[in-house]
Amino acid sequence: MQLSPSLSALVEALRCLPGIGPKSAQRIAFHLLERDRSGGTQLGQSLLNAMDKIGHCESCRTFSETPVCDICSNIKRQDTGLLCVVESPSDVLAIEQTGQYQGLYFVLMGHLSPLDGIGPNEIGMDVLERTLANGNINEVILATNPTVEGEATAHFIGEMCHQHNVTASRIAHGMPVGGELELVDGMTLMHAFSGRKAI
Amino acid sequence: MQLSPSLSALVEALRCLPGIGPKSAQRIAFHLLERDRSGGTQLGQSLLNAMDKIGHCESCRTFSETPVCDICSNIKRQDTGLLCVVESPSDVLAIEQTGQYQGLYFVLMGHLSPLDGIGPNEIGMDVLERTLANGNINEVILATNPTVEGEATAHFIGEMCHQHNVTASRIAHGMPVGGELELVDGMTLMHAFSGRKAI
């Protein structure tokens, strides 16, 4: 049995969702058609609206519907002189949820990865360099992921900060709170020892 | 941090997908915005198109973009005089994939479930009765699921067939091919014994 054209187009389109294969796509399509048509229509409109309207903040490159995002245009945050560099917008969300950080962000939208053709320009180093040159930033906190690529990216940005005489710091690596010593990997444990603090 | 209006609308709308909670919805939204905007737009259009265009076949109640679906309008299939009653369009798909059945279908879009307010009219018994009254059907094959509700529905439709002097049959219950005796539940095993055939 051939699925009707609109239905097979929908099943095919659903496969762009992460982790959705042909079987799941078919199950989702039938679910929406059988039980939640208004939800499906709503989702269709939200998708078109979001893909059309959401761009990137000119200043920090995160997702934004306005040319400059809410965080970047917040004068209180600008006054802190702090800039936190992260890899993705979901990292911004995670940090904001702690409620402890009050400075600005810069979102790389990835990390340096020469083998994949991702160089400094692809992660917005030109925009970051302009921000540093402005002289409004006192400290750059490098909060890229503790992976090989994340470390390389942090190192690269650290060098750039030195050229502009801006302090650069890297977030601490060590034991996660609530973790158990025997379950943590060697590298983390090594970092935990070398980064020990006097009490 | 507040998500921007379009983004939070998208995250909210994604939750209509089965099995997607708030965290997954956010992950999907970011994935589409970061890596697959054209896929997202395509999905939005396919959803709106499908929700708008796909209705139900007048004759068998399955999903169809035309008033009568391809299977129902196939004269070869009409000539068999066979009608297979199933619960959902995905059951039709499963049976069609075997390539063995050449008759027509009738899709209940559910099963009798008085506690949920699903009576004979909600599962299209009026349409089925008209089909039986036409006199073109010789045998009705009841392929509802082997659950309590599915059995009750099959029994109900069986009675209706008797009133119209149409043969009704129920698909066989027994050991699934490739299954192991010791892993199969008691009810299935009981059915396998009572439905034994001489060889």
Side-chain angles (χ1 to χ4, degrees):
Chain A
M1 179 205 189
Q2 288 288 316
L3 293 175
S4 69
S6 302
L7 188 51
S8 55
L10 174 58
V11 170
E12 194 47 51
L14 279 166
R15 295 192 53 194
C16 77
L17 300 177
I20 301 295
K23 270 276 178 190
S24 304
Q26 193 182 296
R27 194 174 56 88
I28 293 174
F30 281 140
H31 169 89
L32 291 176
L33 284 166
E34 273 176 55
R35 305 217 181 90
D36 197 4
R37 287 202 181 223
S38 66
T41 308
Q42 179 87 50
L43 175 57
Q45 280 158 351
S46 304
L47 273 167
L48 292 181
N49 186 44
M51 297 301 144
D52 179 44
K53 281 204 190 146
I54 299 177
H56 293 275
C57 169
E58 285 170 8
S59 160
C60 76
R61 298 188 12 121
T62 195
F63 294 131
S64 172
E65 286 174 59
T66 44
V68 175
C69 74
D70 287 354
I71 293 185
C72 288
S73 46
N74 185 333
I75 293 175
K76 264 194 195 162
R77 283 176 177 264
Q78 287 170 6
D79 287 346
T80 60
L82 285 172
L83 184 77
C84 177
V85 178
V86 294
E87 291 186 19
S88 81
S90 42
D91 297 337
V92 174
L93 228 63
I95 296 174
E96 281 299 293
Q97 268 159 15
T98 68
Q100 297 298 308
Y101 178 71
Q102 296 299 325
L104 300 169
Y105 290 94
F106 186 82
V107 183
L108 302 170
M109 290 285 172
H111 44 232
L112 284 180
S113 180
L115 289 178
D116 301 320
I118 301 176
N121 283 337
E122 278 72 34
I123 58 170
M125 286 301 103
D126 43 344
V127 183
L128 183 59
E129 192 141 29
R130 271 203 303 279
T131 308
L132 294 179
N134 277 344
N136 297 325
I137 304 296
N138 305 321
E139 182 179 348
V140 170
I141 301 172
L142 297 162
T144 52
N145 290 329
T147 55
V148 175
E149 293 91 348
E151 293 293 347
T153 309
H155 183 76
F156 183 90
I157 300 174
E159 290 290 312
M160 211 162 88
C161 292
H162 285 192
Q163 283 166 22
H164 289 274
N165 288 322
V166 175
T167 315
S169 59
R170 183 89 174 101
I171 51 166
H173 295 159
M175 286 289 297
V177 176
E180 292 184 43
L181 223 69
E182 64 172 355
L183 300 177
V184 151
D185 65 297
M187 279 297 277
T188 303
L189 215 49
M190 217 180 69
H191 276 294
F193 270 78
S194 65
R196 68 189 180 277
K197 285 194 282 190
I199 53 166
Chain B
M1 180 203 187
Q2 289 289 314
L3 292 174
S4 70
S6 302
L7 188 52
S8 57
L10 174 58
V11 170
E12 194 47 50
L14 279 165
R15 297 193 50 191
C16 77
L17 300 177
I20 300 296
K23 269 278 178 190
S24 305
Q26 191 182 298
R27 195 173 55 89
I28 292 173
F30 280 140
H31 169 88
L32 291 176
L33 285 167
E34 273 175 57
R35 307 219 180 86
D36 198 4
R37 288 202 179 221
S38 67
T41 308
Q42 180 87 50
L43 175 57
Q45 279 158 352
S46 304
L47 273 167
L48 292 181
N49 186 44
M51 296 302 143
D52 179 47
K53 280 202 189 147
I54 299 177
H56 293 276
C57 169
E58 285 169 9
S59 161
C60 75
R61 297 186 13 118
T62 194
F63 294 131
S64 172
E65 286 173 62
T66 45
V68 175
C69 73
D70 288 355
I71 293 184
C72 288
S73 47
N74 184 334
I75 294 173
K76 263 192 193 163
R77 283 176 176 263
Q78 288 169 7
D79 287 346
T80 60
L82 286 171
L83 184 78
C84 177
V85 179
V86 292
E87 291 186 20
S88 80
S90 41
D91 298 337
V92 174
L93 227 63
I95 298 174
E96 282 299 293
Q97 268 160 13
T98 67
Q100 297 297 307
Y101 177 71
Q102 296 298 325
L104 299 168
Y105 291 93
F106 186 82
V107 182
L108 302 170
M109 290 285 170
H111 45 231
L112 284 179
S113 179
L115 288 180
D116 300 319
I118 301 175
N121 283 336
E122 278 72 33
I123 57 168
M125 285 302 101
D126 44 343
V127 182
L128 182 60
E129 192 141 32
R130 272 204 302 281
T131 309
L132 293 178
N134 277 345
N136 297 326
I137 303 296
N138 305 321
E139 182 180 348
V140 170
I141 301 172
L142 298 161
T144 52
N145 290 329
T147 56
V148 175
E149 293 92 348
E151 294 293 348
T153 310
H155 184 77
F156 183 91
I157 300 174
E159 289 291 311
M160 211 163 88
C161 292
H162 285 191
Q163 285 167 20
H164 289 275
N165 289 320
V166 175
T167 314
S169 59
R170 182 88 174 101
I171 51 167
H173 295 161
M175 287 288 296
V177 176
E180 292 184 42
L181 225 69
E182 62 171 357
L183 300 178
V184 152
D185 65 299
M187 279 298 278
T188 303
L189 215 50
M190 217 180 70
H191 275 295
F193 270 81
S194 66
R196 66 189 180 278
K197 286 193 281 190
I199 52 165

